[in-house]
Amino acid sequence: PVSGEHDSTRKQTRTRLPSKVDSDFGLTHNACMALWSCSRSPKNIQAIRLAGAVPILASLLVSGTDDVILPTMGILMECASEV
């Protein structure tokens, strides 16, 4: 076929690359899940507190997506249980 001919019948498949926002939320989710796993150790809880992560985690409760809120709450609960 000549260029431009039957363009409407050609199946074009394109994979959508994740946007920066999608990537950022995915990264935040994965980081929260990893930190939640680490927060089960008293030594790591102390390190999380000393790193100043608690205010950042609190801000995620307000501005985070649903898949970030659960692990964030888990981390904060672990940090609060060792007070």
Side-chain angles (χ1 to χ4, degrees):
V2 179
S3 178
E5 188 177 284
H6 304 294
D7 280 355
S8 61
T9 60
R10 288 185 194 165
K11 184 177 181 180
Q12 295 180 359
T13 57
R14 294 184 185 186
T15 54
R16 183 179 80 83
L17 295 175
S19 71
K20 175 143 175 50
V21 173
D22 292 340
S23 296
D24 287 349
F25 282 125
L27 178 64
T28 303
H29 170 73
N30 291 337
C32 285
M33 293 299 289
L35 196 57
W36 189 12
S37 178
C38 293
S39 72
R40 293 183 176 93
S41 159
K43 183 178 175 182
N44 289 338
I45 290 171
Q46 184 179 9
I48 291 167
R49 286 189 197 132
L50 290 174
V54 173
I56 296 168
L57 292 165
S59 71
L60 284 175
L61 292 178
V62 176
S63 62
T65 59
D66 290 344
D67 62 337
V68 170
I69 291 173
L70 178 64
T72 301
M73 280 300 300
I75 299 164
L76 291 172
M77 286 174 56
E78 293 291 342
C79 288
S81 68
E82 292 293 319
V83 172

